[in-house]
Amino acid sequence: MEDGLIVVKVGGSEGIDYAAVARDAAALWKQGRRLVLVHGGSAETNRIAEALGHPPVFLEHPGGLTSRLTDRKTLEIFEMVYAGKMNKLIVELLQREGVNAVGLSGIDGRVFEGRRKKAVKYIENGKLKVRRDNLTGSVEKVNTELLNLLLGAGYLPVLTPPAISYEGEAMNTDGDTAAAQVAVQMQAEALLLLSNVPGLLRNFPDESSLIAEIPADRVEDFMNFAQGRMKKKVLGAADAVKGGVGRVVFGDARVEAPISKALAGAGTVVR
Amino acid sequence: MEDGLIVVKVGGSEGIDYAAVARDAAALWKQGRRLVLVHGGSAETNRIAEALGHPPVFLEHPGGLTSRLTDRKTLEIFEMVYAGKMNKLIVELLQREGVNAVGLSGIDGRVFEGRRKKAVKYIENGKLKVRRDNLTGSVEKVNTELLNLLLGAGYLPVLTPPAISYEGEAMNTDGDTAAAQVAVQMQAEALLLLSNVPGLLRNFPDESSLIAEIPADRVEDFMNFAQGRMKKKVLGAADAVKGGVGRVVFGDARVEAPISKALAGAGTVVR
């Protein structure tokens, strides 16, 4: 399995060193490592949405997860930042390192396909409400044929939300769970979820309370320790290990050689 | 040659009916026509650049051509609009029509590769000046291997600037001349340059003065009639016919079935 595919998800929060991610990805790629990158763009989307006078709104769901309210205008801003600015930034960084990267959103070639949520439940002022205008959904089907076509021809795929519904509508989707689906459906050796923390912390935000290892059959028990966006990473990890991915690592994307370090076991390893 | 490849460039000016372009492209694609789309995004880039407080600046070059001054911030806005908003809009429209489109910028897979202009001459207040910070260049090499890989697997490529320099830098490039290079290097049967005018007009903007046909060996003589952005389309047409493309049509993208109409000879035909 040492030459299996590695799926690397790089978050979109503040502090992430994309140049370091690209340098490390290029070094591994040139050693013959097969990689697929998946990235976010949340913090930059918030900034651009504010600047364009359409500030972000987040919905709080029963169970404690939150998500971006995605009306059509938000979706267009989301596409500008994720598929335009962030995706092309990462592709350009890889090209400068001599790697022939190809950036795709989930709607290109239906790379991330799934069911749109027709009704989204959320809590406002303590009351349960429902919205039907939210353009969101979850990835069920990854176009592994297209990814294998590109990998086989020597291209490094760089993937980003949005996803596409079975009816052909663009929709916001969570990048961590999309990356988990890529890892499962591509039968990846490992899934690395890199963000602006060193891993899962027992006492967030105390970085010295890092949880070094989680047994694969106990991932959901550790949900209590997950704060904010880390909740979706833990859910993604649970999906991935259930789906047969050998290991999942929550690693730090603020450091030099972030992919190599996570592969070597730095961060929180789920296996 | 009836089953040859058709390269369709859809401009980025006001008034273009992208839904009609997608419907027509889908109908032709389902009849077995091989297509590559190339698109612009100039008007929307101007709007977003204004909204983000970084208004567009155009340089006037010796000879009468103009181009967008592209500093790094402008390039990022350009990528957001061309590769994010416009590209994903067109891909989604095609997906809704049941065509598995794949959107790529010129930096993805080095689809549009060329030389960056290290120094750009322009005229300001009647004086010839030079700028060296402009991130622009022209497409010399099209990655036909990647385009054929996608076409062969049943994907319709939807291409957009920016291009990439030989050194791996993203750079603004003219979409019409990029489309002409795609047509030449893919040995296309025809290149359709669709915009918000019915074709080349003898007395711009009088639409009744449409020039119906231009002999291939006299394209440059007709440069006198080209106004504004049409100048680059005429130059693109000259490149394409010199490069062996059977015919070039300047057609109208504001009408129903714009691709079929241009293929049937509506507009200005260069052959």
Side-chain angles (χ1 to χ4, degrees):
Chain A
M1 289 285 277
E2 259 321 282
D3 294 306
L5 179 73
I6 309 293
V7 176
V8 182
K9 164 68 175 25
V10 191
S13 304
E14 304 289 351
I16 287 169
D17 187 345
Y18 293 101
V21 171
R23 270 194 302 277
D24 198 19
L28 291 163
W29 183 260
K30 288 173 188 174
Q31 287 162 29
R33 261 292 179 197
R34 290 166 68 238
L35 298 170
V36 172
L37 298 191
V38 183
H39 67 85
S42 186
E44 185 65 13
T45 298
N46 294 348
R47 268 194 294 273
I48 298 286
E50 291 279 0
L52 292 175
H54 194 71
V57 175
F58 290 90
L59 301 178
E60 190 194 324
H61 304 289
L65 290 175
T66 59
S67 73
R68 185 185 298 276
L69 173 62
T70 308
D71 56 16
R72 185 72 204 184
K73 188 162 180 196
T74 300
L75 182 80
E76 287 177 2
I77 295 169
F78 184 96
E79 289 184 332
M80 285 203 290
V81 177
Y82 279 69
K85 185 167 185 174
M86 303 301 292
N87 191 265
K88 298 321 160 203
L89 167 75
I90 295 169
V91 169
E92 184 183 2
L93 287 168
L94 287 164
Q95 292 285 1
R96 288 192 190 205
E97 298 290 335
V99 174
N100 208 348
V102 170
L104 298 173
S105 80
I107 71 171
D108 297 299
R110 311 182 83 85
V111 167
F112 295 157
E113 196 172 5
R115 198 174 303 278
R116 187 183 150 205
K117 292 190 192 93
K118 304 285 183 216
V120 176
K121 288 181 190 160
Y122 67 105
I123 296 162
E124 195 174 61
N125 302 326
K127 282 188 191 136
L128 188 65
K129 298 191 173 183
V130 174
R131 284 193 79 123
R132 296 178 196 279
D133 61 344
N134 209 18
L135 299 169
T136 63
S138 48
V139 178
E140 295 173 347
K141 224 169 115 186
V142 172
N143 186 343
T144 57
E145 189 186 83
L146 178 55
L147 297 181
N148 282 320
L149 189 75
L150 291 170
L151 285 164
Y155 298 101
L156 193 164
V158 180
L159 310 180
T160 183
I164 190 161
S165 73
Y166 293 116
E167 293 75 31
E169 305 152 292
M171 61 184 189
N172 190 350
T173 198
D174 177 61
D176 293 315
T177 46
Q181 282 305 315
V182 174
V184 169
Q185 295 183 39
M186 291 291 288
Q187 301 180 281
E189 176 193 327
L191 167 65
L192 313 180
L193 297 169
L194 309 182
S195 67
N196 62 349
V197 287
L200 187 59
L201 305 175
R202 196 168 285 275
N203 306 305
F204 180 84
D206 174 9
E207 298 198 358
S208 70
S209 69
L210 180 75
I211 296 166
E213 195 156 335
I214 300 177
D217 56 356
R218 290 194 48 218
V219 178
E220 272 134 347
D221 299 350
F222 284 77
M223 267 301 272
N224 306 332
F225 301 117
Q227 303 292 322
R229 297 180 66 81
M230 187 54 87
K231 284 186 197 293
K232 288 185 186 165
K233 292 185 200 300
V234 175
L235 290 177
D239 285 353
V241 292
K242 269 184 223 154
V245 177
R247 78 197 134 123
V248 181
V249 184
F250 303 123
D252 200 332
R254 301 166 304 178
V255 300
E256 197 50 45
I259 302 171
S260 300
K261 281 179 184 151
L263 274 178
T268 301
V269 181
V270 184
R271 80 172 112 212
Chain B
M1 288 286 277
E2 260 319 286
D3 293 305
L5 180 73
I6 309 292
V7 176
V8 182
K9 164 65 176 27
V10 190
S13 303
E14 304 290 351
I16 287 168
D17 187 345
Y18 293 102
V21 171
R23 269 193 303 275
D24 198 19
L28 291 163
W29 183 260
K30 288 172 187 174
Q31 287 163 26
R33 262 290 179 197
R34 292 165 68 237
L35 298 170
V36 171
L37 297 191
V38 183
H39 68 85
S42 186
E44 186 65 15
T45 298
N46 294 348
R47 268 194 294 273
I48 298 285
E50 291 279 359
L52 293 174
H54 193 71
V57 174
F58 291 90
L59 301 179
E60 189 195 324
H61 304 289
L65 290 174
T66 59
S67 72
R68 187 185 296 278
L69 172 62
T70 309
D71 55 16
R72 184 72 204 182
K73 189 162 178 196
T74 300
L75 182 79
E76 287 176 2
I77 295 168
F78 184 96
E79 289 184 332
M80 284 202 292
V81 177
Y82 279 69
K85 186 168 185 172
M86 303 300 293
N87 191 264
K88 298 320 160 202
L89 167 75
I90 295 168
V91 169
E92 184 183 1
L93 287 169
L94 288 163
Q95 292 286 1
R96 288 192 190 205
E97 299 290 335
V99 174
N100 208 347
V102 170
L104 297 174
S105 79
I107 72 171
D108 297 299
R110 311 182 83 86
V111 166
F112 294 157
E113 197 173 4
R115 198 174 302 279
R116 187 184 149 203
K117 292 190 193 92
K118 304 287 185 219
V120 176
K121 287 181 191 160
Y122 67 105
I123 295 162
E124 194 174 62
N125 302 326
K127 283 188 189 136
L128 189 66
K129 298 191 173 182
V130 174
R131 285 193 78 125
R132 295 178 197 279
D133 62 344
N134 208 18
L135 299 170
T136 63
S138 48
V139 177
E140 295 173 349
K141 224 169 115 187
V142 172
N143 187 344
T144 57
E145 189 187 83
L146 178 56
L147 297 181
N148 282 320
L149 189 74
L150 291 170
L151 286 165
Y155 299 101
L156 194 165
V158 180
L159 310 180
T160 182
I164 191 162
S165 72
Y166 293 116
E167 292 75 29
E169 306 152 290
M171 60 184 190
N172 190 350
T173 197
D174 177 60
D176 293 314
T177 46
Q181 282 305 314
V182 173
V184 169
Q185 295 184 39
M186 291 292 286
Q187 300 179 279
E189 176 193 328
L191 167 65
L192 313 180
L193 297 168
L194 309 182
S195 66
N196 62 350
V197 287
L200 187 60
L201 305 175
R202 198 168 283 275
N203 306 306
F204 180 85
D206 173 7
E207 299 198 357
S208 70
S209 69
L210 180 73
I211 297 166
E213 193 155 338
I214 300 178
D217 56 355
R218 289 193 49 216
V219 178
E220 272 133 346
D221 298 351
F222 284 77
M223 267 300 272
N224 305 332
F225 302 116
Q227 303 292 323
R229 297 180 65 82
M230 188 52 88
K231 284 186 197 292
K232 287 183 186 165
K233 293 186 198 299
V234 176
L235 290 176
D239 285 354
V241 292
K242 270 184 223 155
V245 177
R247 79 197 134 125
V248 180
V249 184
F250 304 122
D252 200 331
R254 301 166 303 178
V255 300
E256 198 49 44
I259 302 172
S260 301
K261 282 178 184 152
L263 274 178
T268 302
V269 181
V270 185
R271 79 174 112 214

